[in-house]
């Protein structure tokens, strides 16, 4: 098969992207890691961080990362401590009417009937009260609590006030279509199914025929292995001509076409056409500009599914996952299955022999595959080295190829792509490039939100490529890692290692995750492994494990950056404790904290006033157009408020203190 490279690069997408694509085409790296490592025992069930004795995380696999020489400013010796129970400091940015509003809204969020029927009640109220009175009522309650204002001008006073008390902003235009479930399903199916799939509708794909035992498998060397490295008894399956060999996880399914189902804390975009994607890009550009105009250290949040047809994200994700599996299948053949992602090192000579034996490449050509500056010089190839096997192709559709291990050939994921599909893929990359350049121009950091696991490998890879280009001098692009996923630690550790090797600034936002219920239900009903950690405790452990890994990297390298996006007070205290242990001072601006506007002010403002970089996610938009967002906030707060009354108790304590001290008419001065 001559010297065709295994993993093709992005296409050139026009003169405005030549410089960007040149950097990308140098090497497109697979960073979708293995799911073999287990969470470390640290976490919220360990020693109580509130007492300053949080259990230190065990040294993770791939410990070679710790051998880096420290660079950057000397580690400060002083330690910073914070009391989240001091209500005077926690609420000094709020007047007493705002505290009463918070109490009212949080109390309403505990009533199931009001929360379950909140959209219907808001619609009825609007009809009964009229548009003007309804909007005023919303601004006095839910809208005023969770939304900053209607447009970029109206949100500036709140942004300035928060900044005066040490809290920055992540701007997020929160308008979304209020579609019915049927409308959402129709749009999703049209946007995620390719022309080739439509033409072959009703045919049985190769992967479908291999599902007899409900195991996502590839045939390899007369054995079959699923993606966890466990042996399965499935007959070898080839890919007949004319039939696309797609996996069920990465295909659209109508029963899950409405991606809002089971999701309460994430905005959802549905593809309509390219003009709508251009409109979303313009909105994001305005957010970036507004963020740059309101502060010199702001963030702006974007979602990849707003920028293009999700068909490409599905297909690209499947390709990345299959190439990752191919790497681990080769590792299993060398007796190295089950290791953490960074610990898998393939013996070069044995790898070359295997690739030749499979017919993937001619024997004489294998030497040309491993001729990079450092690739193969150690006699081994790891997951990051694997990504140097790249070809510069002129069509993005040529990116979407997978190994057919029956024939030893690379085959397209789909039988064909239309010219319009090719243009749609290029436009998504162009929009991403435009946003990244705009963020750099305005001094704003761009936060790429995480989405469903069948989109996420592609989203993470595209975000990684932007980091490699735009994070060379400072952290501009931040990726989001959902720690309820089993593979979260491998994702973080592999990406950190890549940033070290290539010497760019790693930027991460750590969240627990927004799609757990939906992901579990989809995996069970369609028939693939549940990607989510089995328990909430396991998710806490994973969160702390990933966080501690990045904090250790900051200690040694000072080029990593992380946002701890959490409302969990124990997690925040765990972070503060580890920062003190590792000598990471808040003034270095390497560790950020993030909470939603209108929630957990008792965490955000004490952090900000103590000098820690802390940010509120600041949604804005017209009252009637952010109702879907407000509906989710009500549902999210129900779970939080029913599980803990701590915030309400603190709010009552502060009102009582002001009343007894004669400060009930208090207004913040800034």
């Amino acid at each position: 098969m001559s010297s065709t490279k295994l993993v093709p690069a992005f296409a050139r997408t026009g003169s405005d992207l030549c410089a960007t694509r040149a950097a990308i085409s140098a090497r497109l790296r697979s960073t979708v890691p293995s799911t073999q490592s287990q969470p470390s025992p640290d976490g919220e069930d360990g020693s109580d961080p509130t007492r300053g004795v949080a259990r230190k995380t065990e040294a993770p696999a791939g410990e070679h990362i710790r051998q880096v020489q420290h660079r950057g400013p000397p580690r400060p010796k002083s330690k910073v401590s914070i009391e989240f129970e001091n209500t005077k400091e926690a609420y000094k940015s709020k007047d007493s009417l705002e505290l009463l509003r918070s109490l009212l809204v949080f109390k309403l969020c505990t009533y199931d009937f009001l929360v379950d029927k909140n959209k219907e009640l808001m619609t009825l109220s609007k009809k009964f009260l009229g548009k003007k009175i309804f909007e005023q009522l919303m601004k006095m309650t839910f809208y005023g609590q969770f939304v900053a204002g209607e447009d970029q001008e109206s949100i500036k006073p709140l942004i300035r006030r928060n900044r005066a008390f040490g809290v920055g902003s992540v701007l997020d235009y929160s308008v979304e279509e209020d579609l019915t479930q049927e409308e959402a399903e129709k749009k999703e199916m049209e946007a995620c199914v390719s022309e080739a799939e439509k033409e072959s509708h009703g045919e049985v794909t190769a992967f479908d025929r291999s599902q007899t035992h409900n195991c996502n498998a590839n045939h390899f060397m007369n054995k079959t292995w699923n993606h966890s490295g466990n042996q399965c008894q499935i007959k070898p399956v080839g890919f007949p001509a004319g039939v696309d060999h797609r996996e069920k996880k990465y295909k659209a399914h109508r029963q899950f076409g409405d991606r809002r189902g089971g999701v309460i804390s994430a905005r959802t975009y549905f593809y309509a056409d390219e003009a709508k994607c251009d409109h979303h890009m313009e909105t994001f550009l305005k957010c970036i500009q507004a963020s740059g105009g309101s502060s010199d250290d702001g963030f702006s949040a974007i979602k990849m599914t707003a920028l293009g047809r999700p068909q490409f994200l599905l297909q690209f994700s499947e390709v990345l996952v299959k190439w990752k599996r191919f790497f681990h299948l080769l590792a299993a053949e060398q007796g190295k299955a089950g290791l953490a992602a960074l610990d898998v090192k393939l013996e070069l000579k044995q790898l070359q022999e295997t690739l030749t034996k499979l017919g993937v490449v001619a024997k004489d050509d294998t030497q040309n595959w491993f001729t990079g500056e450092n690739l193969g010089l150690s006699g081994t190839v790891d997951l990051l080295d694997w990504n140097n096997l790249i070809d510069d192709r002129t069509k993005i559709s040529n990116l979407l190829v997978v190994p057919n291990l029956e024939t030893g050939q690379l085959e397209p994921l789909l039988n064909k792509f239309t010219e319009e599909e090719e243009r749609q893929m290029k436009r998504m990359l162009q929009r991403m490039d435009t946003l990244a350049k705009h963020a750099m121009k305005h001094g704003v950091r761009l936060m790429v939100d995480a989405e469903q696991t069948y989109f996420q490998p592609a989203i993470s890879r595209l975000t990684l490529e932007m980091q490699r280009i735009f994070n060379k001098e400072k952290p501009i692009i931040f990726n989001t890692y959902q720690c309820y996923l089993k593979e979260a630690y491998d994702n973080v550790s592999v990406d950190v290692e890549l940033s070290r090797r290539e010497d760019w600034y790693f930027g991460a936002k750590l969240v627990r995750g927004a799609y757990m219920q939906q992901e579990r239900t989809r995996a069970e009903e369609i028939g693939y492994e549940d990607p989510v950690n089995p328990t909430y405790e396991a998710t806490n452990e994973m969160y702390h494990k990933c966080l501690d890994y990045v904090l250790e990297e900051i200690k040694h390298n000072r080029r990593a950056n992380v946002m701890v996006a959490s409302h969990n007070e124990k997690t925040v205290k765990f972070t503060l404790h580890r920062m003190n242990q590792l000598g990471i001072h808040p003034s270095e601006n390497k560790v950020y904290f993030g909470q939603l506007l209108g929630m957990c002010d008792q965490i955000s403002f004490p952090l900000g006033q103590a000098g820690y970089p802390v940010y509120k996610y600041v949604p804005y938009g017209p009252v009637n157009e952010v109702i879907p967002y407000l509906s989710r906030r009500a549902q999210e707060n129900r779970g939080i408020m029913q599980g803990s009354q701590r915030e309400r108790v603190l709010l009552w304590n502060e009102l009582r203190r002001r009343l007894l001290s004669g400060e009930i008419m208090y207004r913040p001065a800034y």
Side-chain angles (χ1 to χ4, degrees):
M1 180 176 151
S2 71
S3 59
T4 302
K5 308 293 187 182
L6 281 180
V7 185
F10 285 116
R12 301 179 180 88
T13 59
S15 57
D16 61 325
L17 291 178
C18 285
T20 299
R21 293 302 153 246
I24 292 178
S25 62
R27 52 193 182 280
L28 179 60
R29 299 185 178 268
S30 281
T31 57
V32 184
S34 164
T35 60
Q36 302 303 316
S37 65
Q38 296 298 317
S40 66
D42 71 290
E44 301 200 7
D45 290 331
S47 300
D48 184 2
T50 64
R51 299 179 182 271
V53 197
R55 190 187 318 169
K56 185 174 180 180
T57 305
E58 294 294 329
E63 187 60 24
H64 56 281
I65 193 172
R66 308 294 173 234
Q67 298 174 3
V68 188
Q69 288 186 343
H70 167 71
R71 60 179 167 183
R75 303 186 198 110
K77 299 297 182 182
S78 61
K79 295 184 178 181
V80 181
S81 61
I82 299 176
E83 292 183 12
F84 295 117
E85 294 77 14
N86 187 331
T87 60
K88 182 177 181 179
E89 293 301 313
Y91 299 113
K92 68 187 300 183
S93 66
K94 310 289 183 185
D95 62 37
S96 297
L97 283 177
E98 288 176 296
L99 299 187
L100 285 169
R101 182 187 65 195
S102 297
L103 280 166
L104 172 63
V105 169
F106 292 157
K107 181 62 177 178
L108 291 175
C109 287
T110 64
Y111 294 111
D112 288 340
F113 174 78
L114 294 178
V115 174
D116 292 336
K117 302 294 183 181
N118 71 83
K119 289 186 68 175
E120 292 87 342
L121 290 171
M122 284 191 280
T123 301
L124 183 63
S125 298
K126 181 180 175 182
K127 183 177 180 180
F128 179 74
L129 298 173
K131 182 175 182 290
K132 187 173 182 179
I133 297 178
F134 170 75
E135 290 185 355
Q136 189 61 36
L137 177 64
M138 292 301 293
K139 288 180 180 180
M140 293 171 60
T141 54
F142 288 92
Y143 182 93
Q145 181 71 19
F146 299 120
V147 183
E150 299 201 49
D151 53 38
Q152 296 166 359
E153 285 302 313
S154 64
I155 67 176
K156 286 182 178 179
L158 183 141
I159 292 174
R160 284 196 293 266
R161 181 175 65 169
N162 284 355
R163 171 46 61 196
F165 289 94
V167 177
S169 299
V170 181
L171 295 192
D172 188 9
Y173 190 66
S174 295
V175 171
E176 47 186 281
E177 292 180 280
D178 193 10
L179 301 174
T180 66
Q181 181 176 338
E182 183 178 352
E183 289 171 335
E185 290 174 354
K186 185 175 184 292
K187 282 195 171 187
E188 186 74 353
M189 295 304 293
E190 290 175 349
C192 290
V193 180
S194 69
E195 290 302 317
E197 288 176 300
K198 291 175 184 176
E199 289 179 9
S200 63
H201 180 69
E203 297 182 45
V204 180
T205 67
F207 184 80
D208 289 336
R209 293 195 289 123
S210 71
Q211 283 289 338
T212 307
H213 291 77
N214 190 26
C215 179
N216 300 344
N218 283 312
H219 179 65
F220 178 69
M221 299 291 286
N222 298 319
K223 299 178 182 178
T224 52
W225 302 78
N226 65 18
H227 62 280
S228 298
N230 301 318
Q231 200 165 353
C232 304
Q233 299 301 320
I234 299 178
K235 294 181 180 180
V237 178
F239 299 111
V243 179
D244 59 90
H245 37 285
R246 302 292 307 281
E247 293 195 11
K248 287 184 176 180
K249 179 176 180 178
Y250 301 99
K251 296 179 74 171
H253 298 269
R254 182 171 293 277
Q255 67 266 43
F256 296 99
D258 187 353
R259 289 183 277 110
R260 300 168 300 182
V263 179
I264 61 172
S265 57
R267 191 168 63 261
T268 303
Y269 289 94
F270 292 95
Y271 180 84
D273 50 40
E274 292 299 297
K276 190 70 172 178
C277 293
D278 287 334
H279 175 72
H280 291 153
M281 182 187 72
E282 291 298 325
T283 299
F284 291 149
L285 289 172
K286 290 177 182 178
C287 279
I288 292 170
Q289 190 169 348
S291 183
S294 61
S295 68
D296 57 1
D297 61 350
F299 284 89
S300 190
I302 67 170
K303 272 188 178 291
M304 289 286 190
T305 50
L307 298 176
R309 188 173 178 179
Q311 172 197 335
F312 173 52
L313 296 177
L314 277 174
Q315 294 164 348
F316 191 22
S317 292
E318 183 173 356
V319 168
L320 293 172
V321 169
K322 285 185 174 179
W323 278 110
K324 178 206 69 173
R325 288 186 201 154
F326 188 33
F327 175 81
H328 286 288
L329 289 169
L330 294 168
E333 193 65 18
Q334 293 191 13
K336 298 180 180 180
L339 299 177
L342 287 176
D343 287 343
V344 179
K345 300 182 186 298
L346 305 182
E347 299 298 327
L348 179 58
K349 289 185 178 180
Q350 189 176 345
L351 172 61
Q352 291 172 320
E353 291 173 359
T354 302
L355 293 174
T356 301
K357 185 176 180 180
L358 286 171
V360 176
V361 64
K363 183 176 182 180
D364 293 340
D365 290 328
T366 57
Q367 298 299 325
N368 299 326
W369 279 36
F370 303 97
T371 56
E373 183 178 351
N374 299 310
L375 183 60
L377 294 182
S378 64
T380 61
V381 174
D382 67 11
L383 184 58
L384 298 178
D385 294 331
W386 179 253
N387 300 289
N388 275 329
L389 309 178
I390 300 160
D391 190 21
D392 182 19
R393 297 170 184 260
T394 58
K395 282 192 174 184
I396 295 180
S397 56
N398 288 342
L399 170 79
L400 303 175
V401 295
V402 294
N404 181 332
L405 299 178
E406 288 297 314
T407 65
Q409 300 294 314
L410 294 178
E411 296 182 347
L413 188 68
L414 294 175
N415 199 35
K416 66 177 181 179
F417 290 85
T418 66
E419 289 298 319
E420 178 58 25
E421 287 172 336
E422 184 79 26
R423 285 192 293 269
Q424 288 168 352
M425 295 179 200
K426 289 182 179 180
R427 286 170 187 154
M428 177 180 280
L429 301 182
Q430 289 172 331
R431 293 180 188 110
M432 290 166 47
D433 184 78
T434 298
L435 290 171
K437 288 178 178 176
H438 202 65
M440 177 171 279
K441 175 182 176 181
H442 289 274
V444 174
R445 288 160 291 190
L446 203 59
M447 194 88 72
V448 181
D449 285 342
E451 304 192 47
Q452 286 87 350
T453 54
Y454 43 90
F455 293 137
Q456 194 56 44
I459 292 171
S460 291
R461 174 65 67 80
L462 297 176
T463 304
L464 190 71
E465 292 306 316
M466 289 197 294
Q467 287 181 314
R468 297 170 74 188
I469 295 166
F470 296 101
N471 284 11
K472 291 181 178 178
E473 297 181 1
K474 58 182 178 179
I476 297 291
I477 310 297
F478 279 64
N479 196 9
T480 300
Y481 299 86
Q482 299 191 105
C483 294
Y484 66 29
L485 297 178
K486 297 173 184 176
E487 63 178 14
Y489 175 76
D490 277 348
N491 288 339
V492 170
S493 60
V494 168
D495 290 356
V496 166
E497 173 64 12
L498 179 61
S499 72
R500 287 189 58 249
R501 291 188 188 184
E502 297 184 346
D503 201 29
W504 44 264
Y505 286 83
F506 176 79
K509 179 179 73 170
L510 297 182
V511 299
R512 278 172 171 78
Y515 306 98
M516 181 178 71
Q517 178 183 337
Q518 183 186 103
E519 293 276 12
R520 282 206 164 123
T521 303
R522 189 178 190 270
E524 181 179 359
E525 291 193 17
I526 294 175
Y528 56 88
E529 182 183 349
D530 183 356
V532 179
N533 286 318
T535 64
Y536 181 72
E537 289 72 23
T539 293
N540 288 336
E541 291 173 358
M542 181 64 78
Y543 193 104
H544 286 191
K545 184 178 182 182
C546 293
L547 173 58
D548 205 57
Y549 189 86
V550 180
L551 293 176
E552 287 277 0
E553 173 66 13
I554 294 172
K555 170 188 175 182
H556 290 280
N557 203 14
R558 251 54 182 192
R559 286 171 75 85
N561 302 261
V562 63
M563 174 173 280
V564 182
S566 176
H567 296 145
N568 189 304
E569 192 172 306
K570 287 185 178 180
T571 291
V572 172
K573 290 182 176 180
F574 170 85
T575 307
L576 300 180
H577 176 67
R578 292 295 287 137
M579 288 177 69
N580 281 333
Q581 281 187 326
L582 299 171
I584 303 171
H585 197 270
S587 62
E588 294 183 66
N589 289 330
K590 296 295 182 184
V591 182
Y592 315 93
F593 297 86
Q595 289 86 38
L596 291 167
L597 182 71
M599 296 175 65
C600 294
D601 288 344
Q602 80 277 10
I603 293 177
S604 305
F605 286 91
L607 283 172
Q609 291 165 60
Y612 286 88
V614 59
Y615 294 82
K616 286 289 193 182
Y617 255 69
V618 177
Y620 67 98
V623 175
N624 288 289
E625 296 181 44
V626 299
I627 284 179
Y629 175 85
L630 292 173
S631 176
R632 292 200 309 274
R633 288 285 75 78
Q635 293 181 53
E636 185 170 24
N637 274 280
R638 170 175 56 183
I640 293 175
M641 292 304 150
Q642 286 180 339
S644 171
Q645 296 186 10
R646 175 170 169 73
E647 189 162 1
R648 281 189 289 159
V649 168
L650 292 174
L651 286 164
W652 275 121
N653 288 346
E654 176 57 14
L655 278 172
R656 189 180 301 111
R657 186 198 67 78
R658 290 183 184 184
L659 181 63
L660 295 176
S661 62
E663 299 178 41
I664 195 64
M665 302 303 293
Y666 168 82
R667 296 186 65 84
Y670 58 96

